[in-house]
Amino acid sequence: MGDGKDSGRVLDIKTADIKSTAPVFHEQGKNLSTALTTLVTTLDGLGAPWGDDEQGKAFGDAYRPQQKAIEKAAGTLVLGLISIHEAMADLSDGHVDNDELIAGMFKKARPADGEGNDKGAK
């Protein structure tokens, strides 16, 4: 659209593309959740693994106050990825339903004898 080459299509949505892409978001959400769990449990288990030197203290001083906010933000990303998967699946189903509805609206109805198809009205 907008490229000067009017193909006559307004939308070119392929439900197969939506259905095949949706699980990717779910899988990446699971991967991020696993990474977040590993980060939290590992750091909690190690205490302050960044050390007691100047750089370690600077990192710890910056990280510790933000730790819960970082974990919460990553958790929100996990939920977002999962919800995108669900929304795409719903979108695909809705698109199929809409296509069927529109197809039903435009089915050719045969005119009854004497109706329509004015062939040579006098």
Side-chain angles (χ1 to χ4, degrees), residues 4 50 67 72 75-76 84 87:
W50 37 83
Q67 181 178 2
K72 184 178 177 183
T76 300
I84 289 171

Side-chain angles (χ1 to χ4, degrees), residues 8-75:
R9 293 182 180 177
V10 176
L11 292 176
D12 187 18
I13 299 173
K14 293 178 178 52
T15 55
D17 292 343
I18 295 170
K19 286 183 183 260
S20 68
T21 303
V24 173
F25 288 93
H26 182 76
E27 189 62 34
Q28 295 307 321
K30 286 181 5 184
N31 291 343
L32 182 57
S33 179
T34 300
L36 176 61
T37 300
T38 301
L39 174 70
V40 170
T41 56
T42 300
L43 288 180
D44 286 349
L46 294 174
W50 37 83
D52 221 10
D53 61 358
E54 184 179 336
Q55 288 180 334
K57 286 180 184 180
F59 176 83
D61 291 345
Y63 176 74
R64 270 187 245 123
Q66 300 300 320
Q67 181 178 2
K68 293 300 175 196
I70 292 168
E71 292 168 4
K72 184 178 177 183

Side-chain angles (χ1 to χ4, degrees), residues 73-113:
T76 300
L77 287 173
V78 168
L79 295 175
L81 289 170
I82 300 297
S83 71
I84 289 171
H85 166 249
E86 294 167 359
M88 288 182 80
D90 289 346
L91 173 69
S92 174
D93 293 342
H95 185 67
V96 169
D97 292 345
N98 190 50
D99 277 355
E100 290 171 357
L101 176 66
I102 291 171
M105 296 165 112
F106 291 99
K107 281 186 179 175
K108 290 185 178 180
R110 295 188 155 198
D113 285 341

